[in-house]
Amino acid sequence: MAMDTLPGSGTAPDGSAQIRVLSYNIRSMRDDRAALARVISACAPDLVLVQEAPRFFRWRKHAAWLAAHTGLVVLGGGAPATGPLLLCSLRATVERTEDILLPHTPGLHRRGFATAVVRIGGARLGLLSCHLSLRADERYAQARALTARLAALDVPYAIAAGDINEGPTGRSFRLLAGELRDCRAVSPWGDEYTSTPAEPRQRIDAVFVTEGIEVLGCGVPRGLPGVTEDDLRAATDHLPVLAALRVPVS
């Protein structure tokens, strides 16, 4: 699939929603903010599942800046979720949000999930943004908690995305891909590897969906019109993952 043929957003006559979902580790916005905003804007997402959002002094101001400069609004997460953040376009009607703190291992960074339930068109779906642990045993426990939390949202369809901190052969990634659907594996589009922008050699960021969601394409939007190589390298230390999905009426 050519870079400029990834389907855009829209609502079908039957109410099913065609959406773009972006997952992006933004390293606390410590890099080139303008480049970050340009990359996100060029991807034209309906939903952005962020990792490593600012979570300390004036974190709300930083999240609001990012939303304002990308034509989006803050949906949930941020500091209360220890970094995962949700942004959305005005297509989304918010039903509820919840920030989840995960069990803390002393000496390691506290982790959490940013979750929400939204409606777009006639589709109702759950969202979960995550940034899993650097330590393998904790990461696996968090992957199990992720699937349990998606089930607890009690929605017909759901999307989970984030920085998994391991590739597709890892135990935690395989758990998620076994219980959910790895969008890149289902319908590859764009580039594969997400880390690091200068020399990407590993796919540690991913978008997963539940059964029933049609995956139209998924990958790193390198070469997408409006997404420049300079901006990808300047924005943060990860590359984004963009997925085009069709969610049925529910």
Side-chain angles (χ1 to χ4, degrees):
M1 184 185 296
M3 291 304 298
D4 59 355
T5 58
L6 185 74
S9 303
T11 303
D14 66 355
S16 60
Q18 193 159 290
I19 61 175
R20 282 189 176 188
V21 177
L22 187 70
S23 181
Y24 210 173
N25 182 321
I26 64 172
R27 198 162 72 151
S28 297
M29 296 171 64
R30 296 199 303 265
D31 301 289
D32 188 330
R33 292 186 173 201
L36 177 67
R38 286 193 295 268
V39 170
I40 294 174
S41 298
C43 291
D46 300 288
L47 303 165
V48 185
L49 286 72
V50 172
Q51 303 83 49
E52 287 196 39
R55 57 189 181 91
F56 295 115
F57 185 62
R58 293 184 176 175
W59 68 269
R60 290 182 180 86
K61 180 178 179 180
H62 299 310
W65 184 96
L66 185 61
H69 285 77
T70 54
L72 302 168
V73 296
V74 176
L75 176 55
T82 70
L85 175 74
L86 299 172
L87 305 175
C88 66
S89 74
L90 295 179
R91 290 186 72 204
T93 299
V94 183
E95 184 176 304
R96 67 180 189 269
T97 66
E98 185 177 8
D99 301 321
I100 309 296
L101 289 178
L102 297 170
H104 181 221
T105 301
L108 297 180
H109 172 62
R110 186 74 183 261
R111 304 283 175 172
F113 300 147
T115 75
V117 176
V118 302
R119 288 186 178 273
I120 300 179
R124 180 171 177 261
L125 66 156
L127 308 173
L128 187 153
S129 179
C130 69
H131 186 185
L132 302 190
S133 177
L134 289 167
R135 200 169 91 175
D137 59 340
E138 186 180 50
R139 183 164 62 244
Y140 187 73
Q142 291 168 356
R144 293 180 62 185
L146 186 158
T147 60
R149 179 54 56 177
L150 279 190
L153 290 176
D154 191 27
V155 289
Y157 306 105
I159 302 166
D163 181 349
I164 311 305
N165 262 323
E166 68 178 31
T169 61
R171 187 169 72 135
S172 299
F173 200 115
R174 286 187 287 110
L175 184 151
L176 295 175
E179 298 201 21
L180 305 168
R181 300 168 69 222
D182 173 10
C183 291
R184 170 71 193 183
V186 172
S187 183
W189 166 88
D191 283 0
E192 179 178 5
Y193 300 129
T194 62
S195 179
T196 58
E199 295 184 8
R201 297 177 179 175
Q202 53 185 346
R203 181 163 79 95
I204 61 174
D205 305 84
V207 178
F208 299 93
V209 296
T210 55
E211 290 293 334
I213 295 179
E214 183 181 358
V215 183
L216 306 175
C218 180
V220 174
R222 206 171 212 148
L224 186 76
V227 177
T228 70
E229 188 66 26
D230 286 345
D231 281 349
L232 286 173
R233 294 191 181 202
T236 178
D237 63 346
H238 283 242
L239 293 170
V241 181
L242 179 62
L245 309 172
R246 183 176 292 116
V247 187
V249 174
S250 53

